[in-house]
Amino acid sequence: MRNFTIPTLLMLACLCPGMARAADCSLKMVNTVPMELAQNGARVFVPVVINGTPERFVLDTGGNLTQISAAVAEELKLPGVETNIKMLDLYGNASTKAVKVDTFVLGRLGDHNTTLPISTFFQNGGPAAGLLAADYMGEYDTELDFAGGKMNYFSQDHCPGKVVYWPAAAIAVVPMRLVDRHLHLDVMLDGHPVRAMIDTGATGTTLTMEEAKRVFGLSAEDADKRFEHTFQKLSFEGLEVGNPHIAIIPDKTGSKDPNNGYATGTRVRMQDDPLFSPPSMLIGMNILSKLHLYIAFSEHKIYITPASAPAQPPQTAPAQ
């Protein structure tokens, strides 16, 4: 993960374990960032500040590395640096370029003297300056409140399970694995277990053709052409989403890809290792925008509830 830091006055008990009280179960918020959903809910944007200049990035938990568009890098006159990272996107476009950034700020959190790869997603321009990926998650718990338009970061120093502070009619506690900076979890689709990934950078939810045929007997005449299917229900440990609309897509990852690289997002691993191979399902914004998530990294769990009216979050811990 990236090395996010916060100003001295905002240091919390979790960063100084000896100061924490064992009986203190309260959540301690260290950062809050506004999230802006596109009109159709297909994209979610967050504000960042690069070398003092405000920009807008797409929030992409399915991405491996935070990255910037070539146009914005040129506009900000960011110096190029050498890198051994090769970025591959869904359409086979590749990038091996990166730039140096003096300061990268997200709300109260900041990174210094870092590098950002040049993204392949913004070659023809677009509504954002880059992608904020999951490499800036993991050091703190992360709440994604799509209805309230907030991404909140919390200290991991709290009692296990005491994290859902908002009113919720149902709560799903889903085991989560952080694999190669990706949020993996197991879900049930029409009663069948499916390995999935939380991907806020995906506008819709997808399932590979191989899994669709093997588990559900779904196939298309053209094996290289995607098609759509509406299932009965998608279940997260009992919390159900009815009639999920899912795109069935060809599996073009690993050895099935001419570049032998991931082709379902901003991936960098170049091997057919089952541990690191992408899950067969990507859960995108058409479903996530209807949910409220708390990602408890230290517990390896995601707490999921239906989206609800915004609630007042816990206050930032007082200055030490």
Side-chain angles (χ1 to χ4, degrees):
M1 66 188 69
R2 302 270 190 162
N3 183 26
F4 251 161
T5 58
I6 56 179
T8 303
L9 289 179
L10 293 174
M11 294 294 282
L12 302 179
C14 71
L15 302 182
C16 306
M19 301 175 63
R21 300 194 309 270
D24 186 4
C25 287
S26 61
L27 290 176
K28 305 173 186 69
M29 188 171 70
V30 302
N31 194 24
T32 183
V33 180
M35 294 194 303
E36 175 193 350
L37 260 68
Q39 234 176 8
N40 59 1
R43 292 286 188 199
V44 58
F45 305 97
V46 292
V48 302
V49 180
I50 301 173
N51 290 358
T53 301
E55 298 289 353
R56 185 171 77 155
F57 274 32
V58 173
L59 178 62
D60 183 11
T61 60
N64 186 283
L65 291 174
T66 295
Q67 51 202 272
I68 190 170
S69 78
V72 173
E74 183 177 356
E75 179 183 330
L76 297 180
K77 297 180 171 54
L78 301 177
V81 295
E82 292 186 6
T83 178
N84 59 358
I85 294 175
K86 181 179 181 180
M87 305 297 294
L88 294 167
D89 69 13
L90 180 65
Y91 306 102
N93 301 311
S95 173
T96 58
K97 300 178 180 179
V99 292
K100 180 179 180 298
V101 173
D102 294 330
T103 58
F104 183 85
V105 178
L106 178 70
R108 299 187 185 104
L109 297 174
D111 196 3
H112 302 271
N113 299 318
T114 189
T115 60
L116 296 179
I118 296 294
S119 176
T120 62
F121 286 93
F122 304 98
Q123 293 184 0
N124 300 315
L131 301 176
L132 181 72
D135 52 342
Y136 280 112
M137 292 184 179
E139 187 174 356
Y140 306 102
D141 287 355
T142 304
E143 176 195 3
L144 299 178
D145 180 4
F146 297 106
K150 291 289 185 181
M151 176 170 65
N152 296 320
Y153 284 52
F154 290 91
S155 160
Q156 295 182 6
D157 179 31
H158 57 75
C159 294
K162 305 295 184 180
V163 298
V164 178
Y165 63 86
W166 59 91
I171 302 174
V173 183
V174 185
M176 175 270 294
R177 304 174 297 281
L178 188 63
V179 180
D180 210 19
R181 301 193 188 107
H182 297 130
L183 302 170
H184 290 199
L185 68 164
D186 295 322
V187 299
M188 299 292 287
L189 183 61
D190 284 1
H192 297 276
V194 177
R195 193 160 55 100
M197 183 172 78
I198 300 294
D199 190 353
T200 60
T203 59
T205 298
T206 64
L207 182 69
T208 62
M209 283 189 178
E210 182 179 2
E211 189 80 346
K213 184 176 182 178
R214 182 183 70 83
V215 178
F216 303 100
L218 299 173
S219 60
E221 292 183 7
D222 186 347
D224 291 321
K225 187 175 181 180
R226 61 181 285 159
F227 63 96
E228 313 286 324
H229 184 78
T230 300
F231 291 83
Q232 294 180 5
K233 63 182 178 181
L234 174 65
S235 177
F236 301 88
E237 294 292 326
L239 179 65
E240 295 181 355
V241 175
N243 302 316
H245 187 75
I246 297 176
I248 313 300
I249 62 172
D251 185 1
K252 296 293 184 181
T253 60
S255 59
K256 304 181 185 73
D257 183 350
N259 293 308
N260 193 28
Y262 284 133
T264 54
T266 53
R267 320 287 190 240
V268 295
R269 190 169 293 276
M270 306 297 175
Q271 60 189 33
D272 287 322
D273 186 334
L275 178 62
F276 294 102
S277 61
S280 54
M281 173 182 283
L282 299 182
I283 302 175
M285 286 302 298
N286 67 320
I287 289 175
L288 295 176
S289 61
K290 300 176 177 63
L291 302 174
H292 190 156
L293 282 66
Y294 186 104
I295 307 166
F297 286 97
S298 61
E299 297 181 42
H300 305 287
K301 293 175 181 177
I302 302 180
Y303 295 80
I304 304 176
T305 77
S308 58
Q312 184 65 31
Q315 296 297 310
T316 302
Q320 301 295 328

